[in-house]
Amino acid sequence: MVNPESPDRLLVATAGEALMDLITRPDGLLGPCEGGAVYNLTRALGLQGVGTVYLNPLSRDGFGRGLADRIHAAGVQLAQAAPCLEPTSLAVVGLDAQGKARYSFYREGVADRRVSAAQMIEDCQARPTLQAVATGCLALAAEDQAKYLPWLQAQRNAGKLVVVDANLRPAVVPDMDAYCASVMHALAQAHVVKASDDDLRELGFTEDDPLEAGRALMRRLPQARWL
């Protein structure tokens, strides 16, 4: 059986948040669960046998060690194997009156944000078998645009397939206009876009039919495909 962690089998590089979801239980206590949209995608790729490398660092704290154990168990390679001093990102999750998840994020000075465009570009260049890169969600916040956008541009210019999951989280940002602009800049680099009906509304595509809203987005992004 081919080992997906082997350097000559790496096909996908992922970059973005790895955090702990603290889920509010009926008794009011919080139950921790490994999460983050990019982290979940990364593990899913590894579990499907796709050679995958995750570019962000993880913390040396207890949560970070758990995240690392599960990503290794999925057969995913860590570009930054040494754990860092910064703590793990946290998201407190509850349900609103309609049963939709509501998030509060704790992401200042955290491990998964300790990245740079230069480091991610270098990590991808060191793995010549890569065919695709993927990011999205919290990585698209405006304050991290200088990290992820140059990396996406470099990967597109290098001929890699670029996949971006809009997956907006309004609770994470103070300036929604800047956030939406940052998301659109990232989507403009993508060949493949993932967006929900909620994402489309947040981005200003407010057509009643989500398919029409998606088509309106695609007219702004003629190089992409909509999933």
Side-chain angles (χ1 to χ4, degrees), residues 70-155:
R70 289 178 68 80
I71 215 168
H72 280 305
V76 172
Q77 184 181 114
L78 288 174
Q80 300 189 46
C84 61
L85 294 175
E86 289 81 354
T88 299
S89 298
L90 301 177
V92 178
V93 188
L95 299 179
D96 64 14
Q98 287 74 45
K100 285 191 174 183
R102 288 289 180 258
Y103 297 84
S104 298
F105 292 99
Y106 299 85
R107 287 182 47 75
E108 292 299 323
V110 292
D112 61 289
R113 292 181 69 188
R114 190 171 167 268
V115 291
S116 68
Q119 183 64 58
M120 290 190 292
I121 291 169
E122 180 180 330
D123 286 338
C124 289
Q125 289 174 337
R127 294 165 170 84
T129 61
L130 289 179
Q131 297 180 9
V133 298
T135 190
C137 200
L138 301 183
L140 307 185
E143 55 266 34
D144 285 342
Q145 183 175 347
K147 301 175 183 179
Y148 291 97
L149 186 58
W151 169 69
L152 287 175
Q153 292 168 333
Q155 301 319 301

Side-chain angles (χ1 to χ4, degrees), residues 20-34:
M20 292 300 298
D21 286 321
L22 302 179
I23 301 171
T24 305
R25 303 189 309 209
D27 60 6
L29 297 178
L30 298 175
C33 182
E34 294 90 354

Side-chain angles (χ1 to χ4, degrees), residues 1 4 11 40-52 73-76:
M1 180 177 178
L11 301 177
N40 290 337
L41 169 64
T42 302
R43 287 193 65 245
L45 288 168
L47 290 169
Q48 292 295 316
V50 178
T52 305
V76 172

